[in-house]
Protein backbone atom coordinates (compact mmCIF):
# COMPACT_ATOMS: atom_id res chain seq x y z
CA UNK A 1 0.00 0.00 0.00
CA UNK A 2 2.84 2.39 0.92
CA UNK A 3 4.56 1.59 -2.36
CA UNK A 4 1.41 2.36 -4.32
CA UNK A 5 0.98 5.72 -2.53
CA UNK A 6 4.63 6.64 -3.15
CA UNK A 7 4.41 5.74 -6.84
CA UNK A 8 1.14 7.69 -7.16
CA UNK A 9 2.66 10.75 -5.49
CA UNK A 10 5.76 10.54 -7.68
CA UNK A 11 3.59 10.27 -10.79
CA UNK A 12 1.57 13.31 -9.71
CA UNK A 13 4.73 15.39 -9.15
CA UNK A 14 6.07 14.31 -12.54
CA UNK A 15 2.89 15.43 -14.29
CA UNK A 16 2.92 18.75 -12.45
CA UNK A 17 6.56 19.36 -13.33
CA UNK A 18 5.95 18.65 -17.01
CA UNK A 19 2.95 20.99 -17.02
CA UNK A 20 5.00 23.74 -15.40
CA UNK A 21 8.04 23.30 -17.65
CA UNK A 22 6.24 23.32 -20.96
CA UNK A 23 2.78 23.85 -22.42
CA UNK A 24 1.73 23.82 -26.04
CA UNK A 25 -1.38 24.88 -27.91
CA UNK A 26 -2.03 23.68 -31.44
CA UNK A 27 -4.40 25.86 -33.50
CA UNK A 28 -7.10 24.33 -35.66
CA UNK A 29 -6.61 26.83 -38.51
CA UNK A 30 -5.20 24.28 -40.93
CA UNK A 31 -2.63 21.49 -41.38
CA UNK A 32 0.30 20.89 -43.71
CA UNK A 33 1.64 17.69 -45.26
CA UNK A 34 4.93 16.15 -44.25
CA UNK A 35 7.85 17.12 -46.53
CA UNK A 36 5.79 19.96 -48.05
CA UNK A 37 7.28 23.40 -48.69
CA UNK A 38 5.48 24.77 -45.65
CA UNK A 39 6.81 21.92 -43.50
CA UNK A 40 10.37 22.55 -44.65
CA UNK A 41 10.03 26.30 -44.13
CA UNK A 42 8.68 25.77 -40.62
CA UNK A 43 11.48 23.44 -39.62
CA UNK A 44 14.13 25.74 -41.07
CA UNK A 45 12.67 28.75 -39.30
CA UNK A 46 12.35 27.00 -35.92
CA UNK A 47 15.93 25.77 -36.08
CA UNK A 48 17.23 29.36 -36.32
CA UNK A 49 15.26 30.88 -33.44
CA UNK A 50 17.50 30.04 -30.47
CA UNK A 51 20.64 31.63 -31.91
CA UNK A 52 18.82 34.66 -33.26
CA UNK A 53 16.85 35.44 -30.11
CA UNK A 54 20.00 35.45 -27.98
CA UNK A 55 21.77 37.64 -30.54
CA UNK A 56 18.85 40.11 -30.37
CA UNK A 57 18.58 40.52 -26.62
CA UNK A 58 15.75 38.13 -25.82
CA UNK A 59 13.17 38.98 -28.50
CA UNK A 60 13.13 38.04 -32.17
CA UNK A 61 10.64 37.77 -35.03
CA UNK A 62 11.18 36.52 -38.58
CA UNK A 63 9.47 35.34 -41.77
CA UNK A 64 10.38 32.72 -44.34
CA UNK A 65 8.75 31.56 -47.61
CA UNK A 66 6.31 32.99 -50.12
CA UNK A 67 2.57 33.09 -50.66
CA UNK A 68 0.72 30.21 -48.95
CA UNK A 69 4.00 28.67 -47.82
CA UNK A 70 5.03 31.72 -45.76
CA UNK A 71 5.77 31.01 -42.11
CA UNK A 72 5.86 33.76 -39.47
CA UNK A 73 7.56 33.30 -36.11
CA UNK A 74 8.01 35.16 -32.84
CA UNK A 75 10.10 34.21 -29.80
CA UNK A 76 10.57 35.87 -26.41
CA UNK A 77 12.68 34.92 -23.42
CA UNK A 78 10.94 36.08 -20.26
CA UNK A 79 12.73 37.98 -17.47
CA UNK A 80 15.79 38.91 -19.56
CA UNK A 81 17.88 35.82 -18.70
CA UNK A 82 21.40 34.93 -19.74
CA UNK A 83 21.94 33.95 -23.38
CA UNK A 84 22.60 30.35 -22.33
CA UNK A 85 19.35 30.04 -20.33
CA UNK A 86 17.36 31.74 -23.09
CA UNK A 87 18.71 29.42 -25.79
CA UNK A 88 18.10 26.37 -23.60
CA UNK A 89 14.46 27.34 -23.00
CA UNK A 90 13.79 28.09 -26.67
CA UNK A 91 15.35 24.83 -27.91
CA UNK A 92 13.39 22.83 -25.35
CA UNK A 93 10.13 24.59 -26.24
CA UNK A 94 10.70 23.97 -29.97
CA UNK A 95 11.20 20.23 -29.41
CA UNK A 96 8.00 20.05 -27.36
CA UNK A 97 6.19 22.06 -30.01
CA UNK A 98 7.22 19.77 -32.87
CA UNK A 99 6.11 16.71 -30.90
CA UNK A 100 2.79 18.18 -29.75
CA UNK A 101 1.85 19.89 -33.03
CA UNK A 102 3.48 17.87 -35.83
CA UNK A 103 1.28 19.08 -38.71
CA UNK A 104 -0.55 22.20 -37.51
CA UNK A 105 0.12 25.40 -39.46
CA UNK A 106 -0.06 27.47 -36.29
CA UNK A 107 1.03 26.70 -32.74
CA UNK A 108 2.48 28.22 -29.58
CA UNK A 109 4.70 26.83 -26.84
CA UNK A 110 5.40 28.29 -23.40
CA UNK A 111 8.71 26.88 -22.28
CA UNK A 112 9.86 26.87 -18.68
CA UNK A 113 13.29 25.28 -18.46
CA UNK A 114 15.33 26.86 -16.95
CA UNK A 115 13.38 30.11 -17.42
CA UNK A 116 10.09 30.91 -19.20
CA UNK A 117 9.98 31.64 -22.91
CA UNK A 118 7.40 31.92 -25.67
CA UNK A 119 7.86 30.30 -29.09
CA UNK A 120 5.17 30.89 -31.67
CA UNK A 121 4.74 30.32 -35.39
CA UNK A 122 1.82 30.79 -37.82
CA UNK A 123 0.85 30.98 -41.47
CA UNK A 124 -0.35 34.57 -41.00
CA UNK A 125 1.24 37.82 -39.79
CA UNK A 126 1.32 37.90 -35.98
CA UNK A 127 3.78 40.70 -35.23
CA UNK A 128 2.19 43.71 -33.52
CA UNK A 129 -1.18 42.05 -32.98
CA UNK A 130 -2.30 41.53 -29.38
CA UNK A 131 -4.16 38.26 -28.76
CA UNK A 132 -5.67 37.02 -25.50
CA UNK A 133 -6.05 33.38 -26.41
CA UNK A 134 -5.06 30.65 -26.15
CA UNK A 135 -4.22 30.80 -22.44
CA UNK A 136 -2.16 28.55 -20.19
CA UNK A 137 -2.39 28.92 -16.41
CA UNK A 138 -1.62 27.12 -13.19
CA UNK A 139 -1.64 27.64 -9.43
CA UNK A 140 0.25 26.59 -6.34
CA UNK A 141 -1.30 23.63 -4.55
CA UNK A 142 -1.11 25.38 -1.16
CA UNK A 143 -3.81 27.70 0.12
CA UNK A 144 -3.17 31.12 1.60
CA UNK A 145 -2.94 31.27 5.37
CA UNK A 146 -3.28 35.07 5.59
CA UNK A 147 -6.49 37.03 6.08
CA UNK A 148 -8.01 37.04 2.58
CA UNK A 149 -9.41 40.57 2.87
CA UNK A 150 -6.03 42.02 3.81
CA UNK A 151 -4.29 39.83 1.24
CA UNK A 152 -6.64 40.90 -1.55
CA UNK A 153 -6.00 44.59 -0.86
CA UNK A 154 -2.21 44.19 -0.85
CA UNK A 155 -2.16 41.77 -3.80
CA UNK A 156 -4.43 43.92 -5.99
CA UNK A 157 -2.40 47.07 -5.32
CA UNK A 158 0.82 45.25 -6.23
CA UNK A 159 -0.69 43.83 -9.44
CA UNK A 160 -2.02 47.24 -10.50
CA UNK A 161 1.32 48.93 -9.95
CA UNK A 162 3.26 46.18 -11.75
CA UNK A 163 0.91 46.28 -14.75
CA UNK A 164 1.54 50.01 -15.09
CA UNK A 165 5.32 49.70 -14.77
CA UNK A 166 5.56 46.80 -17.23
CA UNK A 167 3.38 48.42 -19.89
CA UNK A 168 5.16 51.79 -19.61
CA UNK A 169 8.65 50.30 -19.45
CA UNK A 170 10.91 52.14 -21.89
CA UNK A 171 13.27 49.19 -22.32
CA UNK A 172 12.98 46.85 -25.27
CA UNK A 173 11.67 44.05 -23.08
CA UNK A 174 8.47 45.24 -21.40
CA UNK A 175 9.07 43.59 -18.05
CA UNK A 176 8.48 44.60 -14.43
CA UNK A 177 9.06 42.78 -11.14
CA UNK A 178 7.53 43.83 -7.83
CA UNK A 179 7.77 42.91 -4.16
CA UNK A 180 5.55 43.93 -1.24
CA UNK A 181 5.35 42.90 2.42
CA UNK A 182 2.37 40.69 3.18
CA UNK A 183 3.19 40.13 6.85
CA UNK A 184 6.26 40.71 8.99
CA UNK A 185 7.69 37.44 7.68
CA UNK A 186 6.09 37.03 4.23
CA UNK A 187 6.35 38.90 0.94
CA UNK A 188 4.51 38.74 -2.36
CA UNK A 189 6.71 38.53 -5.47
CA UNK A 190 5.35 39.21 -8.96
CA UNK A 191 6.78 39.23 -12.48
CA UNK A 192 4.97 40.56 -15.57
CA UNK A 193 6.11 40.91 -19.17
CA UNK A 194 4.72 41.64 -22.64
CA UNK A 195 6.11 40.90 -26.05
CA UNK A 196 7.80 44.15 -27.21
CA UNK A 197 5.87 44.28 -30.49
CA UNK A 198 2.55 45.37 -28.95
CA UNK A 199 1.60 48.87 -27.85
CA UNK A 200 1.58 50.20 -24.30
CA UNK A 201 -2.22 50.14 -24.13
CA UNK A 202 -2.37 46.58 -25.51
CA UNK A 203 0.28 45.45 -23.05
CA UNK A 204 -1.66 46.98 -20.15
CA UNK A 205 -4.89 45.37 -21.33
CA UNK A 206 -3.25 41.96 -21.79
CA UNK A 207 -1.67 41.99 -18.32
CA UNK A 208 -4.87 43.20 -16.64
CA UNK A 209 -6.61 40.30 -18.34
CA UNK A 210 -4.12 37.81 -16.84
CA UNK A 211 -4.77 39.27 -13.37
CA UNK A 212 -8.53 38.95 -13.86
CA UNK A 213 -8.21 35.35 -15.06
CA UNK A 214 -6.05 34.34 -12.14
CA UNK A 215 -8.49 35.92 -9.71
CA UNK A 216 -11.37 33.99 -11.26
CA UNK A 217 -9.69 30.60 -11.41
CA UNK A 218 -7.27 30.49 -8.54
CA UNK A 219 -7.82 33.17 -5.92
CA UNK A 220 -6.85 31.94 -2.46
CA UNK A 221 -3.83 29.96 -3.65
CA UNK A 222 -0.26 30.77 -2.62
CA UNK A 223 0.96 31.54 -6.13
CA UNK A 224 0.42 30.85 -9.80
CA UNK A 225 0.84 31.98 -13.38
CA UNK A 226 -1.15 32.96 -16.49
CA UNK A 227 0.45 32.88 -19.95
CA UNK A 228 -0.94 34.32 -23.17
CA UNK A 229 0.53 34.78 -26.67
CA UNK A 230 1.60 38.35 -25.86
CA UNK A 231 1.98 38.56 -22.09
CA UNK A 232 2.87 36.64 -18.97
CA UNK A 233 2.12 36.83 -15.23
CA UNK A 234 3.61 34.88 -12.38
CA UNK A 235 3.51 35.58 -8.64
CA UNK A 236 4.44 33.67 -5.51
CA UNK A 237 5.38 34.02 -1.85
CA UNK A 238 9.08 33.49 -2.56
CA UNK A 239 11.54 34.88 -5.16
CA UNK A 240 11.98 33.09 -8.48
CA UNK A 241 13.72 33.30 -11.89
CA UNK A 242 16.74 35.26 -10.54
CA UNK A 243 14.91 38.57 -11.06
CA UNK A 244 14.74 39.48 -7.37
CA UNK A 245 17.57 40.41 -5.03
CA UNK A 246 16.87 37.41 -2.79
CA UNK A 247 17.87 33.88 -3.78
CA UNK A 248 15.14 31.90 -5.56
CA UNK A 249 13.09 29.62 -3.35
CA UNK A 250 12.24 25.95 -3.95
CA UNK A 251 10.01 25.14 -6.94
CA UNK A 252 6.32 24.85 -6.01
CA UNK A 253 3.88 22.09 -6.91
CA UNK A 254 1.82 23.73 -9.63
CA UNK A 255 -1.47 22.40 -10.97
CA UNK A 256 -2.44 23.54 -14.45
CA UNK A 257 -5.79 25.23 -14.65
CA UNK A 258 -8.43 25.38 -17.33
CA UNK A 259 -9.76 28.92 -16.92
CA UNK A 260 -13.10 30.07 -18.20
CA UNK A 261 -13.28 31.80 -21.63
CA UNK A 262 -11.49 35.11 -21.72
CA UNK A 263 -13.41 37.93 -20.09
CA UNK A 264 -12.49 41.26 -21.66
CA UNK A 265 -13.84 43.23 -18.70
CA UNK A 266 -11.11 43.95 -16.22
CA UNK A 267 -11.96 44.16 -12.55
CA UNK A 268 -8.67 45.37 -11.14
CA UNK A 269 -8.34 48.87 -9.79
CA UNK A 270 -6.32 51.13 -12.09
CA UNK A 271 -5.47 53.63 -9.34
CA UNK A 272 -2.08 53.49 -7.62
CA UNK A 273 -1.58 53.06 -3.90
CA UNK A 274 -1.63 56.12 -1.62
CA UNK A 275 1.59 55.52 0.30
CA UNK A 276 3.52 58.15 -1.67
CA UNK A 277 0.70 60.69 -1.36
CA UNK A 278 0.43 60.20 2.38
CA UNK A 279 4.18 60.62 2.75
CA UNK A 280 4.15 63.82 0.73
CA UNK A 281 1.27 65.26 2.78
CA UNK A 282 3.02 64.30 6.03
CA UNK A 283 6.10 66.24 4.93
CA UNK A 284 4.51 69.25 3.22
CA UNK A 285 1.84 70.22 5.77
CA UNK A 286 4.19 70.64 8.80
CA UNK A 287 6.64 72.64 6.66
CA UNK A 288 3.86 74.86 5.34
CA UNK A 289 2.45 75.46 8.82
CA UNK A 290 5.93 76.30 10.13
CA UNK A 291 6.48 78.80 7.34
CA UNK A 292 3.12 80.47 8.00
CA UNK A 293 3.83 80.71 11.73
CA UNK A 294 7.30 82.16 11.05
CA UNK A 295 5.79 84.69 8.66
CA UNK A 296 3.10 85.74 11.15
CA UNK A 297 5.65 85.93 14.00
CA UNK A 298 8.01 88.04 11.91
CA UNK A 299 5.17 90.36 10.94
CA UNK A 300 4.09 90.74 14.55
CA UNK A 301 7.64 91.52 15.75
CA UNK A 302 8.14 93.91 12.84
CA UNK A 303 4.97 95.81 13.63
CA UNK A 304 5.84 95.88 17.32
CA UNK A 305 9.33 97.22 16.59
CA UNK A 306 7.90 99.90 14.32
CA UNK A 307 5.31 100.81 16.93
CA UNK A 308 8.03 101.14 19.58
CA UNK A 309 10.15 103.20 17.23
CA UNK A 310 7.30 105.55 16.41
CA UNK A 311 6.41 105.86 20.12
CA UNK A 312 10.03 106.70 20.97
CA UNK A 313 10.15 109.26 18.18
CA UNK A 314 6.89 110.80 19.33
CA UNK A 315 8.24 110.99 22.92
CA UNK A 316 11.45 112.63 21.68
CA UNK A 317 9.52 115.18 19.68
CA UNK A 318 7.24 115.87 22.62
CA UNK A 319 10.24 116.30 24.90
CA UNK A 320 11.92 118.63 22.44
CA UNK A 321 8.76 120.69 22.12
CA UNK A 322 8.42 120.81 25.90
CA UNK A 323 12.05 121.82 26.31
CA UNK A 324 11.79 124.44 23.64
CA UNK A 325 8.55 125.78 25.03
CA UNK A 326 10.08 125.96 28.50
CA UNK A 327 12.93 128.02 27.10
CA UNK A 328 10.82 130.50 25.20
CA UNK A 329 10.70 134.14 26.41
CA UNK A 330 8.58 137.08 25.39
CA UNK A 331 10.15 139.75 23.21
CA UNK A 332 10.31 142.42 25.92
CA UNK A 333 12.35 140.17 28.24
CA UNK A 334 14.84 139.39 25.46
CA UNK A 335 15.13 143.03 24.44
CA UNK A 336 15.95 144.00 28.03
CA UNK A 337 18.51 141.17 28.30
CA UNK A 338 20.23 142.15 25.05
CA UNK A 339 19.93 145.92 25.59
CA UNK A 340 17.58 146.11 22.64
CA UNK A 341 19.80 143.78 20.57
CA UNK A 342 22.83 145.91 21.09
CA UNK A 343 25.88 145.12 18.97
CA UNK A 344 27.87 144.76 22.22
CA UNK A 345 25.88 141.60 22.98
CA UNK A 346 25.99 140.28 19.43
CA UNK A 347 28.04 137.10 18.98
CA UNK A 348 27.68 136.67 15.22
CA UNK A 349 25.41 135.85 12.30
CA UNK A 350 23.72 132.51 11.57
CA UNK A 351 21.48 131.11 8.87
CA UNK A 352 18.44 132.33 10.74
CA UNK A 353 19.80 135.72 11.89
CA UNK A 354 22.06 137.33 14.52
CA UNK A 355 23.02 135.45 17.66
CA UNK A 356 23.14 137.30 21.03
CA UNK A 357 24.42 136.48 24.48
CA UNK A 358 21.57 136.14 27.14
CA UNK A 359 22.35 135.26 30.72
CA UNK A 360 24.79 132.46 29.76
CA UNK A 361 22.55 131.32 26.93
CA UNK A 362 22.44 132.11 23.26
CA UNK A 363 19.42 133.50 21.44
CA UNK A 364 18.84 133.60 17.68
CA UNK A 365 17.02 136.58 16.30
CA UNK A 366 14.64 135.20 13.69
CA UNK A 367 14.62 136.79 10.26
CA UNK A 368 10.95 137.50 9.94
CA UNK A 369 8.99 140.62 9.38
CA UNK A 370 7.10 140.34 12.65
CA UNK A 371 9.07 138.13 15.06
CA UNK A 372 6.95 137.26 18.01
CA UNK A 373 9.31 134.88 19.79
CA UNK A 374 12.93 133.96 19.72
CA UNK A 375 14.17 130.41 20.25
CA UNK A 376 16.98 129.99 22.75
CA UNK A 377 19.74 127.49 22.01
CA UNK A 378 21.69 126.26 25.02
Amino acid sequence: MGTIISVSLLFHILIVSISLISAEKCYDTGNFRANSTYANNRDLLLSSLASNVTANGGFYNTTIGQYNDTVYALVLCISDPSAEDCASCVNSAIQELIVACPSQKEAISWGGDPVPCIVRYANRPILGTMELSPTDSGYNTDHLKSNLTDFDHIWTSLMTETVARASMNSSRLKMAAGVVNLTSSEKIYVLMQCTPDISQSDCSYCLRNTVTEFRKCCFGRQGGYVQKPNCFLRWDLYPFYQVFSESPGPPPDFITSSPSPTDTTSTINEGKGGVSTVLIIAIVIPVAVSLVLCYLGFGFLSRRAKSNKYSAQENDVANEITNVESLQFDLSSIENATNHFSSDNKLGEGGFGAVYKVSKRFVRHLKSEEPRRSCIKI
Side-chain angles (χ1 to χ4, degrees), residues 3 16 18 26 38 51 68 70 99 168 181 193 199 205 216 233 246 282 300 306 317 365:
T3 303
V16 169
I18 292 175
C26 308
Y38 189 91
S51 59
N68 293 335
T70 303
V99 172
M168 293 188 293
N181 290 328
Q193 188 168 358
S199 67
Y205 185 77
K216 287 182 176 180
L233 156 69
E246 300 93 334
F300 173 77
K306 288 180 180 179
V317 171
H365 186 198

Side-chain angles (χ1 to χ4, degrees), residues 296-314:
L296 293 176
F298 178 79
F300 173 77
L301 293 175
S302 236
R303 286 193 297 273
R304 184 174 179 182
K306 288 180 180 179
S307 176
N308 292 338
K309 179 180 178 181
Y310 293 149
S311 297
Q313 290 177 346
E314 289 171 359

Side-chain angles (χ1 to χ4, degrees), residues 89-342:
C89 180
V90 171
N91 282 326
S92 176
I94 290 172
Q95 295 303 315
E96 297 289 342
L97 194 63
I98 292 174
V99 172
C101 310
S103 61
Q104 281 78 9
K105 285 190 174 183
E106 183 172 357
I108 185 172
S109 175
W110 294 279
D113 183 20
V115 294
C117 60
I118 298 174
V119 177
R120 183 182 179 192
Y121 74 87
N123 61 338
R124 60 185 176 89
I126 55 177
L127 185 69
T129 302
M130 191 270 292
E131 297 180 10
L132 298 178
S133 62
T135 298
D136 175 58
S137 61
Y139 57 87
N140 194 310
T141 56
D142 294 329
H143 288 82
L144 289 168
K145 299 177 178 62
S146 305
N147 180 283
L148 289 183
T149 302
D150 294 340
F151 171 83
D152 184 41
H153 175 73
I154 297 172
W155 186 86
T156 300
S157 296
L158 176 61
M159 296 299 147
T160 302
E161 180 186 353
T162 309
V163 166
R165 289 194 297 110
S167 60
M168 293 188 293
N169 196 327
S170 59
S171 68
R172 188 166 182 265
L173 300 179
K174 293 176 179 169
M175 181 195 78
V179 183
V180 69
N181 290 328
L182 178 59
T183 66
S184 59
S185 59
E186 281 187 314
K187 295 180 181 180
I188 302 176
Y189 300 84
V190 62
L191 171 67
M192 295 184 183
Q193 188 168 358
C194 295
T195 57
D197 59 308
I198 63 174
S199 67
Q200 174 184 326
S201 59
D202 283 345
C203 176
S204 176
Y205 185 77
C206 187
L207 290 174
R208 286 187 285 116
N209 195 268
T210 64
V211 174
T212 300
E213 288 198 12
F214 185 86
R215 179 183 289 280
K216 287 182 176 180
C217 78
C218 320
F219 184 76
R221 302 287 181 167
Q222 286 190 6
Y225 63 91
V226 179
Q227 302 177 126
K228 292 180 174 293
N230 293 103
C231 65
F232 169 91
L233 156 69
R234 183 181 170 186
W235 75 273
D236 224 307
L237 298 182
Y238 62 87
F240 49 86
Y241 295 153
Q242 302 287 351
V243 296
F244 303 96
S245 58
E246 300 93 334
S247 300
D253 290 334
F254 276 118
I255 294 180
T256 55
S257 171
S258 299
S260 57
T262 301
D263 182 2
T264 58
T265 303
S266 173
T267 59
I268 77 170
N269 181 10
E270 286 292 335
K272 291 189 177 181
V275 176
S276 297
T277 304
V278 172
L279 181 59
I280 291 172
I281 292 174
I283 293 173
V284 170
I285 288 182
V287 173
V289 171
S290 299
L291 290 175
V292 170
L293 291 176
C294 288
Y295 176 79
L296 293 176
F298 178 79
F300 173 77
L301 293 175
S302 236
R303 286 193 297 273
R304 184 174 179 182
K306 288 180 180 179
S307 176
N308 292 338
K309 179 180 178 181
Y310 293 149
S311 297
Q313 290 177 346
E314 289 171 359
N315 291 335
D316 291 340
V317 171
N319 291 334
E320 289 178 6
I321 292 173
T322 302
N323 293 336
V324 170
E325 291 292 340
S326 66
L327 296 174
Q328 289 178 346
F329 302 90
D330 55 41
L331 182 58
S332 60
S333 298
I334 297 173
E335 285 179 342
N336 292 331
T338 60
N339 194 19
H340 296 279
F341 301 104
S342 170

Side-chain angles (χ1 to χ4, degrees), residues 325-373:
E325 291 292 340
S326 66
L327 296 174
Q328 289 178 346
F329 302 90
D330 55 41
L331 182 58
S332 60
S333 298
I334 297 173
E335 285 179 342
N336 292 331
T338 60
N339 194 19
H340 296 279
F341 301 104
S342 170
S343 57
D344 294 335
N345 292 321
K346 183 177 180 182
L347 298 177
E349 290 283 343
F352 294 97
V355 178
Y356 294 86
K357 182 178 179 182
V358 181
S359 303
K360 297 182 181 180
R361 295 184 175 88
F362 300 103
V363 65
R364 181 172 286 125
H365 186 198
L366 299 179
K367 290 180 179 179
S368 59
E369 293 181 359
E370 297 180 357
R372 300 183 60 181
R373 290 184 178 181

Side-chain angles (χ1 to χ4, degrees), residues 41 45 60-66 69-73 122 124-125 127:
N41 286 342
L45 182 147
Y60 177 69
N61 70 92
T62 186
T63 304
I64 188 172
Q66 294 180 333
D69 294 320
T70 303
V71 184
Y72 303 84
R124 60 185 176 89
L127 185 69

